[in-house]
Amino acid sequence: MGGVPFPVDMLARRVFLRGMAGSLGSMAVSHLLRQQGTARGDEPVGNASPTPGASFGRAKSVICLFQHGGPSQMDLFDPKPLLTRYDGQPYPGGDLEAHFDQQKGNCLGSPYKFAKYGGCGMDLCELLPHTGAIADEICLVRSMKTESVDHEAALRLIHTGKFLAGMPVWGSWVLYALGSENENLPAYVVLSDPGGLPVDGERNWSSGWLPAQFQGTTFRSGANPVLNLTTPSGISGAARRRQLDFLKQINTGHLNRHPHSSELAARLTQFETAARMQTAVPEVLDLSSETESTRKLYGLDEPATQEYGTRCLLARRLVERGVRFVQLYLSGQPWDTHSKNAESLKGLCRRTDQSSAALVRDLKQRGLLDSTIVIWTGEFGRLPISQGKDGRDHNRHGFSLWLAGGGFRRGHVHGATDEFGYAATQDIVNVHDLHATLLHALGLDHRRLTLPHDGREASLTDVDVTGAQRVDALLG
Amino acid sequence: MKHRSIISRPVAGPTLAAMVLAIAGEVVATRAAESPSWNADVAPLLKRHCVKCHGPAKAESRLDLATASGLLRGGEHGSVVAPHDPDSSRLWLRVRENEMPPDEPLGAAERDLLRRWISEGAPGMQQAGTSGEHWAFQALDAPRRGPRYSPSDSTSQVPPSVFSAFRDPLDESIASRLRERGLVLAEPASEQTLTRRLSLNLLGIPPPLDEVEVDEVGQIPDGSERQVDRFLASPRYGERWGKYWLDAAGYSDSNGYFNADSDRPLAYRYRDYVIRSWNRDLGFDEFVRQQLAGDEIAGFVPGGEATPESIELLEATHYLRNGQDGSGESDGNPDEVRIDRYTALESSMQIVASSLLGLTIQCAKCHDHKFEPITQREYYQFQSILYPVFNIEQWQKPNDRFVLAPLAGQREEWQGRVDALSELARTKQSELTAWVRANRPRGESLFEATFDVADERLAEHWSNTAPGDDTPGGTPAVQLDVDARPGARIVDGQLWIMESGAAGDRWLCTRQSFDWTPARKDDVVEVTFDLIADTLPGGGTPAARIGYLIAAGDFHDQRDRPGGNILIDGNPGGSTAVHLDYPGADARSVGEIGAAGYRSGRNYGLRITNLGDDKFRLEHLVDGMVDGKNMTLSSADLPDGAFAWEYCCDRSFVIDNLRIELLPGRAATEAEPDEFIRELKAMREATDRIVQERDALTRNPPGKIYWASDMHPEPPTVHWLERGNYAARKDPVEPMMPAALSDFTRPFTVAVRGPETRTSLRRLALADWMTATGSKAASLLARVQVNRIWQYHFGEGLVATADNLGLSGAPPTHPELLDRLAAQLQSDQWSVKRLQRRIVLSATYRQSSAADRLSLERDPDGRLLSRFPLHRLDAESIRDALLAASGELDTRMFGSYVPTSRDAAGEVVVPENATGARRRSIYLYQRRTQVLSLLAIFDAPSLVFNSVSRPRSTMPLQALSLLNAEFVANRARALAVDLTTPNPLESASERPVDDPQRIAIAYRRTLGRPPRTEELDAARLFLREQAGYYPESSTGVVQALADLCQSLMASNEFLYVE
């Protein structure tokens, strides 16, 4: 069903657009038209002079492997020999911004070895052998920067581009612009950790002031993966069928009295869609059709990787079925290594490295990688100095992330931090630039993807305020 | 296609057209080439001779002749120029009579110029007076004050003979725009439809059954003005319309910002204030004034007594603190903390600007606003008005920002209860302690100090030098038995520990050493003492810690002694820290024991039990009972040594009855509590309950209100910040509101503060400025409010962007109508109910939502109102309507919110069996990060700043929740049960499963109308078939009916207002 625009969805979206605000309608229609177009990536939204580049609009879907807490870049992605030499000595580079600035210690070198991986010779930590094995597929950004050393604020910045809570996340913007390709599944799915919600909870996938339909829908483990998905016990399939028929009869009668309302028509058919969703969701969650080798690839046979691996595999199954946006979260904020930094990283990498890499390999072998962006990131990085004995505090001035597929460059390292790994110094990419680039890869111009809100044209990148710039160097 | 009644659709005649023109105030003047010009001639003339007194600076007689708009508006005696009629123009008359200008009369040419300009229609005045200004920023004619709304006032505003089917002048405004497109108003909706529309719209729930019933027998006359008045008088009205205001004001029960999203436990008082104010139709101007400056209006002085009126005023100020405020949880570096604080201030500013002025201001924080006439400087001038409430340098965390405003006598009554409980607690505690003393199992006494022996001297048994030291510890050391800075002494049979210096740790040691490792397994050593008081008699700071040592050897840490010197650091807040080898560099914390805090009047201590294998359990004792956590030590940790009191730094306290005892084999009885332990436990629980009750009451003094008020009487200096950078302070700014919204005649003026004034009076100035009827600001305020009200009646405002009436907002569809309603709101003493009555009684409101081809073609989105716009209920109304239809709606009003919780599946719900689970949605916990799932799925917002309009989405997850959510299923079932519950007056005979009467009631309860014939047939068929799916015949009827009810509740007709 992929790629076919759905009239029902369109109708509903049009009605919503009218429901919002007068000036919104015409604005958003351009997105809708773009979605209706048969060719993807033919033209950026409303952009008169497109600057496509080879990758423009190649991506159709996004999988975000979100690593809550702030993974330590100098221990994982960004080797700093000089820092190792200074281990235990006062930091020579002057003042550092920390979250807990009373607890600043001396330089803390990474105890882990780095090695060159892949044909591209990407330097990665020994804790990430599987990521190393896909080095030639990924684009590693070592020069990320954000604007807060506070978890919540930084989480919002990378999810919504804004400090304050309650704004639409980028998944919602993408969904708003591109719509759904499979109406029997939610278009924006969150695979949350069975262990619990991440820090800042549902705000990480909230549509904010955008309508609820652009919100991420959580798939939970267990019998009831989506809220209210299952028919209550005691109501047989036949009874429910009969009830749906009766409801349709009532609604049809009502619609006949209001034949002009496309919104009523849309709502009428959505009971049928909901019923189809009741089978489509369990189908996608059922892994029995996956081969033994696939299961092994994701580490489903190992206790350490089984849980996270299952969700990575689900992510692939979802984009395979036309889901637009998938996000994985870890419970709490495991990468927040304020103490026992090095020790904690072992377990975290053990848990996530294999399956994250497996996802990229699997997408590639199924021909889905070109149309899927995989992004592995946290909300900020960590400091080159110690906090307490063996921890690292938050760092907004430099962190690393990697991207794969969807038109991003392969086997490429972008940017650099200073010799201690504190601040991005070369080819700096801030979170707004990242957003602009991601939207571009999805065929969207961040300057045009706007909506009137709070009296102004709101957007993900808010370019007038942030000066966000697309980073073409990340794209292949 | 239904037949259209000709009678209901009059074509406007000339009379009507003329009236419209007059209403719209469009006076069009032609301008001859040789006429004097406003710009070239008249404006300079007035500037030369008049503006010194009648200009921006002085505006005598409230007249500003510096601009065309000022001239147009006139002064305190009314208009000064009557176009075409110099002899009726005050401006000309005063000049002609040489009264003005007072000292230097105009020359003949100038006089002639002025007279000719007026004779020729004052060309340019109108255009210059209005064109330069954004429509929404123009002052509306200062209206005369009309009567307030009262329900008995049901006179039509317009004689029927003039407007025929038009019921209100507003209809003509709508109709004239429709005429331009060749459209007319749709025919009136049916009475049933109207009743349901009015009820859902005004009350947020389907019509009460009696309204529907009365309707059916035709007793409600056309127009049903009495019905409208009944609805407007219903308490449900304030719950519906108050909620809209709460959204605009950004109300929430949580602080937001951080993940914690901590609670605002008393915010509900503001919510209740809003509901009450809407129900009693408090004038909107007064409503605004109270929220901006209730504390300054009330003049309440903290510490004093309040009146019911002043309490309302203080509650109202919570409006200013509705924004997100994470400062209670800030834990970052100083820059982050400052950001967190400024965010609270800026959120408050944004809510004020958005909800009252319909303006976006936040852009001007860093630079002059690109779209609106607001400079960066003006942003900080505005900030300086609210800054005293959110003084960044003298910050109060949100939960500390309260005032106690008890009514007369409340405080005394409360104090009396606290005192009585305290007294009772003391009695109980001393009984308990005495009982413990008398009944506790006695061991072999190793040491006992009752400090009761007359003339006892400390030095006999105590020392300031540890057994292993040669010199006293501490600087200075504890002075024994001396009067000057004694450190410790025996007074009235008790031991006073008297902190007498901040430097150094000092000990008061027993001269005797003890064996802290009882010899055999299960042997016990206990040390216990009564804590008489945590302060010395006569006052002082309560002790921060009650510190004592066991196995004390050498203070100076000179000997190589492993272990010993075990400091027990008793914490009044609970949990007791244990340090080994204290003090010195090798001192180490080994964790905590116990749980209870150190409080006066109780007996505390330690128990050391030999567990065998060189293990010794260290337990905390409270009133003879083991308390909380324990830890295990070795004999190396517990060398022989003294018992000692440790004190320095805020550690003055009084103790008595120190005992050190050996209880051989005592531990063996612990597994099975003996009589002593059982009785002790019961006594202690009884005592604890009283203490807890006392503490809870103490924490809740009467009259606690979360208010907003200046933190400091002295107004702070506020600076503008370069590029919005909090660290880049520039020049100070004075409180002021943006020039584009200000009249020279009604300037923003802060009153002079008296010596007793405890606030800056800046917010009072803001309140006065914003509500000065007829001023630019008040006119904007009225437009914003009228537009919002209109939006919630018709689904969309006259200005589509309800959050923005500024230059960058959408233009109004009916500008003259918006202005007229805004002027009327002011002249109706800002009565919103009167405005709403006008709207809902209009033909525009009462037209059908059915659309014909022409209407669809020429008014596709219904913005011109060629039909009543069909729109979906908002989230709260859906939930409330479900409860009302099922007959379960709990109409209790006010009070603390009904908690919500996240269930095992992750759904945010109110558990069905929770108290208040069936109350209206407005009373549920409005937590930013925990919006009730059912509401969230129907677009209830998680608030950032505020919400003045809601999106309305349509998605399959809504269908899923209507079909499968427990809440919906339960409502359907409740209605079904209600329908099948036998009426005692009816015959007991079993009714058939497809009983038409039940179906009819189900339809009326859910859709507010009886079923049509074909609907009845379909429903009967459905019931018969559906019952077949439920084999249990006894419950099958109810289940089939429940399925019917749920279908009706999930239907479009239920979810939409027609």
Side-chain angles (χ1 to χ4, degrees):
Chain A
M1 302 191 85
V4 182
F6 288 85
V8 170
D9 189 38
M10 297 302 300
L11 282 174
R13 280 154 57 78
R14 274 186 202 288
V15 170
F16 132 66
L17 297 167
R18 207 177 60 222
M20 291 271 290
S23 50
L24 177 57
S26 59
M27 176 58 240
V29 163
S30 62
H31 305 311
L32 296 175
L33 292 178
R34 185 200 176 291
Q35 192 211 0
Q36 281 174 318
T38 46
R40 292 187 44 82
D42 44 358
E43 205 185 347
V45 174
N47 194 338
S49 54
T51 48
S55 65
F56 178 75
R58 197 186 293 171
K60 287 164 66 174
S61 41
V62 178
I63 299 173
C64 176
L65 306 174
F66 201 85
Q67 312 297 323
H68 252 79
S72 173
Q73 71 273 24
M74 56 281 291
D75 291 302
L76 299 171
F77 299 109
D78 196 6
K80 293 295 162 192
L82 191 64
L83 178 63
T84 311
R85 273 216 296 287
Y86 269 77
D87 186 62
Q89 297 175 44
Y91 176 70
D95 200 25
L96 291 168
E97 183 189 9
H99 183 61
F100 297 102
D101 59 356
Q102 304 299 311
Q103 301 173 17
K104 290 188 211 168
N106 290 331
C107 284
L108 181 67
S110 176
Y112 298 115
K113 293 190 185 64
F114 279 69
K116 296 207 179 292
Y117 285 92
C120 61
M122 189 179 285
D123 284 304
L124 289 168
C125 164
E126 59 184 329
L127 298 178
L128 298 169
H130 296 277
T131 307
I134 57 159
D136 286 339
E137 292 299 332
I138 68 175
C139 173
L140 176 64
V141 184
R142 286 188 177 142
S143 52
M144 286 302 303
K145 209 175 162 80
T146 183
E147 289 150 32
S148 177
V149 288
D150 174 87
H151 286 292
E152 281 101 338
L155 284 167
R156 287 169 203 148
L157 279 162
I158 199 157
H159 281 98
T160 72
K162 318 286 182 295
F163 259 100
L164 265 184
M167 304 297 182
V169 296
W170 65 291
S172 299
W173 282 106
V174 168
L175 192 56
Y176 164 68
L178 298 181
S180 168
E181 300 212 351
N182 179 352
E183 61 161 359
N184 296 336
L185 287 172
Y188 176 3
V189 174
V190 173
L191 298 169
S192 64
D193 193 327
L197 291 177
V199 164
D200 227 23
E202 292 173 342
R203 281 181 179 173
N204 291 302
W205 51 91
S206 160
S207 57
W209 45 264
L210 276 175
Q213 76 202 76
F214 301 122
Q215 187 123 323
T217 300
T218 315
F219 276 20
R220 295 170 178 83
S221 51
N224 204 355
V226 173
L227 281 187
N228 302 312
L229 183 72
T230 45
T231 308
S233 61
I235 298 178
S236 66
R240 174 46 60 87
R241 187 68 253 162
R242 181 66 182 90
Q243 188 187 10
L244 283 173
D245 289 343
F246 178 63
L247 176 57
K248 188 172 189 176
Q249 206 176 351
I250 303 176
N251 278 342
T252 307
H254 184 250
L255 183 63
N256 288 339
R257 300 197 289 281
H258 300 277
H260 60 282
S261 171
S262 54
E263 185 178 336
L264 292 179
R267 193 171 291 283
L268 188 150
T269 63
Q270 295 213 325
F271 284 94
E272 299 300 324
T273 312
R276 286 199 298 276
M277 201 177 270
Q278 289 185 302
T279 39
V281 172
E283 189 278 325
V284 75
L285 294 177
D286 178 9
L287 302 181
S288 60
S289 63
E290 297 291 340
T291 64
E292 203 46 46
S293 67
T294 302
R295 301 167 74 91
K296 220 173 152 61
L297 178 69
Y298 283 90
L300 269 52
D301 54 343
E302 288 281 336
T305 45
Q306 190 266 339
E307 188 285 315
Y308 181 79
T310 303
R311 290 191 285 138
C312 286
L313 176 53
L314 281 177
R316 188 216 81 208
R317 290 175 64 86
L318 287 165
V319 297
E320 217 170 20
R321 285 158 180 74
V323 170
R324 183 71 67 194
F325 206 98
V326 182
Q327 272 174 311
L328 263 78
Y329 287 96
L330 302 172
S331 164
Q333 43 189 22
W335 296 93
D336 193 26
T337 48
H338 286 287
S339 63
K340 298 196 172 66
N341 170 66
E343 191 59 31
S344 319
L345 293 180
K346 277 190 209 163
L348 286 161
C349 291
R350 177 85 187 90
R351 183 179 171 199
T352 56
D353 176 46
Q354 178 182 346
S355 320
S356 301
L359 175 63
V360 173
R361 296 169 85 124
D362 196 19
L363 287 169
K364 170 131 178 150
Q365 75 194 17
R366 285 166 200 267
L368 290 167
L369 191 56
D370 238 19
S371 59
T372 307
I373 300 170
V374 180
I375 172 169
W376 189 107
T377 185
E379 68 271 36
F380 45 51
R382 307 208 80 82
L383 289 179
I385 58 170
S386 68
Q387 178 187 6
K389 198 164 81 215
D390 50 9
R392 292 194 194 276
D393 201 353
H394 310 167
N395 180 4
R396 69 183 176 94
H397 298 281
F399 67 103
S400 301
L401 60 79
W402 60 258
L403 298 137
F408 281 90
R409 277 175 84 169
R410 304 165 62 236
H412 176 70
V413 176
H414 180 89
T417 50
D418 59 47
E419 287 174 308
F420 289 84
Y422 171 57
T425 50
Q426 185 190 320
D427 298 330
I428 297 170
V429 181
N430 67 38
V431 288
H432 312 293
D433 302 335
L434 175 70
H435 290 149
T437 313
L438 286 162
L439 291 183
H440 180 73
L442 288 156
L444 300 164
D445 182 342
H446 70 100
R447 291 161 302 182
R448 306 293 173 120
L449 182 59
T450 64
L451 262 175
H453 178 70
D454 266 349
R456 52 193 300 271
E457 285 297 319
S459 67
L460 175 63
T461 56
D462 213 347
V463 66
D464 285 344
V465 175
T466 65
Q469 284 192 330
R470 197 175 74 217
V471 187
D472 285 336
L474 299 182
L475 297 160
Chain B
M1 188 71 208
K2 283 180 189 164
H3 178 69
R4 282 194 180 276
S5 157
I6 298 292
I7 302 159
S8 70
R9 318 208 127 228
V11 176
T15 322
L16 226 166
M19 283 196 70
V20 173
L21 279 180
I23 289 162
E26 285 172 10
V27 183
V28 182
T30 49
R31 182 174 171 352
E34 68 278 14
S35 301
S37 126
W38 161 253
N39 278 331
D41 307 314
V42 181
L45 182 155
L46 296 176
K47 196 171 179 186
R48 278 197 301 277
H49 297 287
C50 314
V51 166
K52 201 170 74 182
C53 301
H54 300 291
K58 287 171 96 175
E60 286 182 8
S61 305
R62 305 179 83 184
L63 179 62
D64 173 18
L65 298 178
T67 64
S69 57
L71 189 62
L72 192 59
R73 198 165 49 246
E76 65 186 7
H77 302 296
S79 75
V80 292
V81 174
H84 304 289
D85 190 358
D87 292 337
S88 303
S89 301
R90 200 181 307 271
L91 178 69
W92 167 246
L93 292 176
R94 303 301 295 273
V95 167
R96 189 186 70 189
E97 301 305 320
N98 281 333
E99 293 168 19
M100 285 287 163
D103 28 348
E104 192 190 340
L106 296 189
E110 286 175 324
R111 289 160 68 107
D112 180 54
L113 176 79
L114 194 59
R115 192 192 53 77
R116 267 202 301 132
W117 179 68
I118 295 173
S119 299
E120 290 171 18
M125 175 176 75
Q126 183 79 25
Q127 291 87 334
T130 54
S131 67
E133 263 180 328
H134 177 56
W135 65 269
F137 300 161
Q138 291 169 28
L140 293 163
D141 280 343
R144 287 187 310 280
R145 293 219 139 191
R148 287 298 306 267
Y149 163 78
S150 72
S152 58
D153 166 28
S154 56
T155 50
S156 294
Q157 292 95 2
V158 182
S161 56
V162 178
F163 285 112
S164 185
F166 292 140
R167 308 175 57 110
D168 188 277
L170 78 84
D171 291 325
E172 181 45 36
S173 296
I174 300 295
S176 71
R177 284 297 308 276
L178 288 176
R179 268 196 302 278
E180 291 167 13
R181 302 272 183 101
L183 292 170
V184 287
L185 288 176
E187 64 185 300
S190 74
E191 287 301 323
Q192 266 156 357
T193 302
L194 265 181
T195 298
R196 185 165 186 274
R197 180 187 296 171
L198 278 169
S199 182
L200 284 166
N201 190 200
L202 291 176
L203 310 181
I205 49 172
L209 217 48
D210 51 354
E211 296 282 348
V212 183
E213 304 287 354
V214 173
D215 227 34
E216 267 188 307
V217 289
Q219 287 181 350
I220 299 280
D222 165 64
S224 51
E225 293 187 28
R226 281 184 296 138
Q227 186 180 51
V228 168
D229 287 330
R230 269 202 305 282
F231 284 158
L232 287 174
S234 163
R236 305 288 83 75
Y237 163 86
E239 294 170 334
R240 171 67 169 168
W241 288 84
K243 173 62 179 155
Y244 290 137
W245 175 256
L246 291 170
D247 277 357
Y251 170 79
S252 176
D253 290 317
S254 69
N255 283 314
Y257 201 75
F258 286 114
N259 193 43
D261 196 16
S262 54
D263 208 12
R264 286 184 178 164
L266 292 178
Y268 76 85
R269 297 192 65 158
Y270 171 71
R271 176 246 281 150
D272 292 348
Y273 158 81
V274 169
I275 294 172
R276 283 195 305 270
S277 299
W278 279 79
N279 271 338
R280 68 185 174 98
D281 196 26
L282 178 67
F284 187 69
D285 56 344
E286 188 55 28
F287 184 55
V288 168
R289 287 170 52 80
Q290 294 183 355
Q291 292 177 85
L292 289 174
D295 58 323
E296 298 189 315
I297 295 169
F300 179 75
V301 181
E305 277 179 353
T307 61
E309 293 74 31
S310 61
I311 285 175
E312 293 249 306
L313 289 168
L314 301 179
E315 287 169 339
T317 61
H318 189 282
Y319 165 77
L320 292 170
R321 44 180 294 178
N322 278 331
Q324 296 194 35
D325 186 348
S327 61
E329 287 87 30
S330 292
D331 66 347
N333 62 47
D335 287 343
E336 289 177 88
V337 170
R338 188 164 52 184
I339 291 173
D340 300 342
R341 292 176 180 181
Y342 263 106
T343 303
L345 167 60
E346 288 161 7
S347 299
S348 182
M349 291 169 66
Q350 192 168 337
I351 289 172
V352 170
S354 166
S355 62
L356 300 180
L357 300 174
L359 283 178
T360 135
I361 51 155
Q362 63 271 32
C363 305
K365 177 183 153 187
C366 306
H367 50 73
D368 290 351
H369 205 300
K370 281 186 183 165
F371 306 113
E372 310 300 339
I374 302 168
T375 64
Q376 193 193 359
R377 188 170 196 85
E378 285 173 331
Y379 177 90
Y380 288 98
Q381 288 175 332
F382 172 41
Q383 183 172 83
S384 77
I385 298 169
L386 299 185
Y387 190 97
V389 176
F390 297 96
N391 191 327
I392 306 295
E393 311 301 331
Q394 299 169 331
W395 195 257
Q396 277 183 320
K397 294 181 175 182
N399 290 4
D400 298 333
R401 205 177 292 146
F402 64 83
V403 65
L404 296 178
L407 293 168
Q410 273 185 340
R411 198 195 318 264
E412 291 72 17
E413 188 262 348
W414 167 81
Q415 192 61 55
R417 280 162 61 210
V418 171
D419 291 348
L421 279 172
S422 299
E423 187 52 41
L424 186 58
R426 260 195 303 279
T427 311
K428 285 273 177 195
Q429 185 62 52
S430 57
E431 280 171 17
L432 174 68
T433 309
W435 184 87
V436 169
R437 205 174 296 148
N439 293 289
R440 63 190 297 259
R442 293 293 171 122
E444 177 193 337
S445 176
L446 305 179
F447 183 83
E448 182 161 356
T450 58
F451 310 104
D452 287 337
V453 184
D455 300 328
E456 187 181 19
R457 292 171 56 82
L458 267 177
E460 284 174 24
H461 299 290
W462 298 84
S463 166
N464 57 14
T465 308
D469 283 326
D470 304 325
T471 53
T475 318
V478 172
Q479 307 291 302
L480 299 184
D481 303 324
V482 296
D483 287 336
R485 299 171 64 83
R489 64 191 302 180
I490 293 168
V491 182
D492 297 337
Q494 293 168 335
L495 175 65
W496 290 21
I497 303 288
M498 305 157 83
E499 187 272 312
S500 52
D505 302 312
R506 280 165 292 164
W507 294 353
L508 174 65
C509 277
T510 57
R511 291 188 177 277
Q512 189 181 341
S513 264
F514 306 96
D515 177 1
W516 299 97
T517 52
R520 285 161 309 172
K521 189 163 180 293
D522 294 336
D523 284 359
V524 163
V525 170
E526 282 186 4
V527 51
T528 56
F529 59 89
D530 295 339
L531 177 62
I532 303 296
D534 62 359
T535 43
L536 294 183
T541 330
R545 292 282 191 277
I546 309 295
Y548 49 102
L549 293 105
I550 56 173
D554 55 336
F555 184 95
H556 294 292
D557 213 12
Q558 289 155 335
R559 304 186 184 193
D560 185 18
R561 220 178 72 128
N565 287 13
I566 302 179
L567 171 67
I568 311 296
D569 215 10
N571 185 352
S575 279
T576 292
V578 181
H579 303 266
L580 278 183
D581 278 326
Y582 185 88
D586 55 349
R588 59 189 195 276
S589 167
V590 289
E592 291 179 336
I593 56 172
Y598 277 71
R599 275 208 291 246
S600 306
R602 306 187 82 158
N603 181 280
Y604 293 90
L606 303 170
R607 169 181 296 173
I608 297 163
T609 308
N610 185 339
L611 302 176
D613 297 335
D614 196 40
K615 286 185 181 141
F616 296 87
R617 186 171 61 212
L618 177 66
E619 291 171 305
H620 193 234
L621 294 177
V622 180
D623 288 333
M625 262 178 74
V626 172
D627 162 61
K629 289 189 291 189
N630 60 53
M631 67 173 58
T632 304
L633 301 172
S634 69
S635 60
D637 299 327
L638 289 161
D640 290 358
F643 174 88
W645 298 105
E646 187 254 1
Y647 53 107
C648 80
C649 330
D650 289 337
R651 287 175 198 193
S652 296
F653 48 92
V654 181
I655 64 110
D656 202 354
N657 299 317
L658 173 73
R659 288 195 174 84
I660 302 171
E661 292 160 280
L662 177 67
L663 297 99
R666 169 68 186 160
T669 64
E670 276 298 298
E672 291 169 29
D674 58 18
E675 194 59 28
F676 168 75
I677 295 286
R678 265 200 300 277
E679 207 163 322
L680 175 63
K681 211 168 175 176
M683 283 181 81
R684 200 155 86 175
E685 276 166 10
T687 311
D688 285 351
R689 265 198 305 279
I690 292 162
V691 169
Q692 280 158 13
E693 194 185 338
R694 193 262 326 264
D695 291 351
L697 189 65
T698 309
R699 277 194 303 272
N700 285 299
K704 192 169 176 182
I705 298 174
Y706 274 22
W707 73 339
S709 188
D710 295 5
M711 291 174 182
H712 197 267
E714 216 42 58
T717 305
V718 178
H719 303 258
W720 72 271
L721 306 174
E722 190 172 30
R723 291 205 55 76
N725 180 347
Y726 302 131
R729 283 191 165 183
K730 296 293 164 185
D731 313 336
V733 293
E734 289 298 312
M736 190 62 67
M737 287 302 283
L741 305 178
S742 300
D743 317 62
F744 297 117
T745 47
R746 272 156 293 201
F748 177 92
T749 318
V750 181
V752 179
R753 300 169 62 245
E756 299 298 311
T757 315
R758 58 159 298 281
T759 61
S760 67
L761 300 180
R762 291 178 185 178
R763 285 173 293 114
L764 189 59
L766 175 64
D768 288 342
W769 175 84
M770 207 177 290
T771 55
T773 294
S775 70
K776 287 184 181 182
S779 300
L780 179 57
L781 176 70
R783 285 184 183 102
V784 168
Q785 178 66 354
V786 164
N787 189 56
R788 216 161 23 216
I789 297 288
W790 186 277
Q791 168 184 278
Y792 290 127
H793 283 297
F794 291 99
E796 209 157 329
L798 294 165
V799 177
T801 51
D803 54 357
N804 187 357
L805 269 68
L807 276 85
S808 56
T813 50
H814 301 79
E816 76 296 337
L817 175 59
L818 179 55
D819 277 0
R820 190 151 44 78
L821 290 176
Q824 254 161 1
L825 176 66
Q826 297 182 62
S827 61
D828 290 343
Q829 296 188 44
W830 299 84
S831 163
V832 175
K833 279 193 180 178
R834 200 176 170 85
L835 168 69
Q836 293 184 282
R837 195 177 189 282
R838 196 187 295 280
I839 290 173
V840 301
L841 287 172
S842 71
T844 304
Y845 182 83
R846 302 174 83 83
Q847 60 184 330
S848 160
S849 59
D852 62 19
R853 188 186 51 79
L854 215 56
S855 159
L856 279 179
E857 207 175 276
R858 300 181 180 175
D859 181 20
D861 53 8
R863 293 276 288 134
L864 295 178
L865 294 170
S866 62
R867 58 187 180 273
F868 184 81
L870 184 81
H871 57 269
R872 199 199 76 203
L873 297 178
D874 60 22
E876 290 86 348
S877 278
I878 290 174
R879 182 180 169 279
D880 294 355
L882 287 168
L883 287 165
S886 74
E888 297 171 285
L889 186 68
D890 176 349
T891 54
R892 277 177 299 168
M893 298 177 74
F894 309 133
S896 188
Y897 57 74
V898 178
T900 62
S901 57
R902 205 177 283 277
D903 69 12
E907 184 168 11
V908 179
V909 295
V910 181
E912 281 281 302
N913 56 2
T915 312
R918 287 156 192 68
R919 291 181 67 187
R920 291 198 72 171
S921 304
I922 192 172
Y923 297 116
L924 305 188
Y925 191 17
Q926 319 272 319
R927 190 179 183 198
R928 292 172 208 264
T929 52
Q930 195 171 297
V931 183
L932 201 76
S933 295
L934 182 72
L935 301 184
I937 217 161
F938 286 102
D939 303 305
S942 160
L943 286 178
V944 193
F945 297 106
N946 62 341
S947 163
V948 296
S949 58
R950 299 257 186 110
R952 289 187 296 270
S953 65
T954 306
M955 58 172 169
L957 296 181
Q958 293 168 344
L960 282 176
S961 75
L962 290 170
L963 288 172
N964 298 332
E966 188 193 13
F967 180 84
V968 183
N970 283 348
R971 304 292 79 77
R973 192 161 176 86
L975 178 52
V977 168
D978 209 13
L979 293 175
T980 49
T981 304
N983 181 336
L985 298 177
E986 280 176 15
S987 76
S989 71
E990 185 80 14
R991 291 212 242 158
V993 63
D994 60 346
D995 178 36
Q997 219 179 318
R998 284 180 187 151
I999 297 171
I1001 299 174
Y1003 261 81
R1004 277 207 300 277
R1005 293 262 291 260
T1006 53
L1007 307 182
R1009 65 173 177 86
R1012 297 180 176 82
T1013 317
E1014 69 276 12
E1015 288 173 330
L1016 185 62
D1017 293 344
R1020 296 184 65 181
L1021 178 65
F1022 171 72
L1023 285 177
R1024 284 196 300 274
E1025 291 185 9
Q1026 197 70 357
Y1029 292 117
Y1030 300 108
E1032 286 280 328
S1033 64
S1034 55
T1035 55
V1037 174
V1038 178
Q1039 294 201 13
L1041 261 177
D1043 288 351
L1044 174 91
C1045 294
Q1046 189 175 9
S1047 302
L1048 291 170
M1049 288 168 164
S1051 73
N1052 281 344
E1053 188 170 346
F1054 184 84
L1055 298 174
Y1056 282 76
V1057 181
E1058 290 184 33

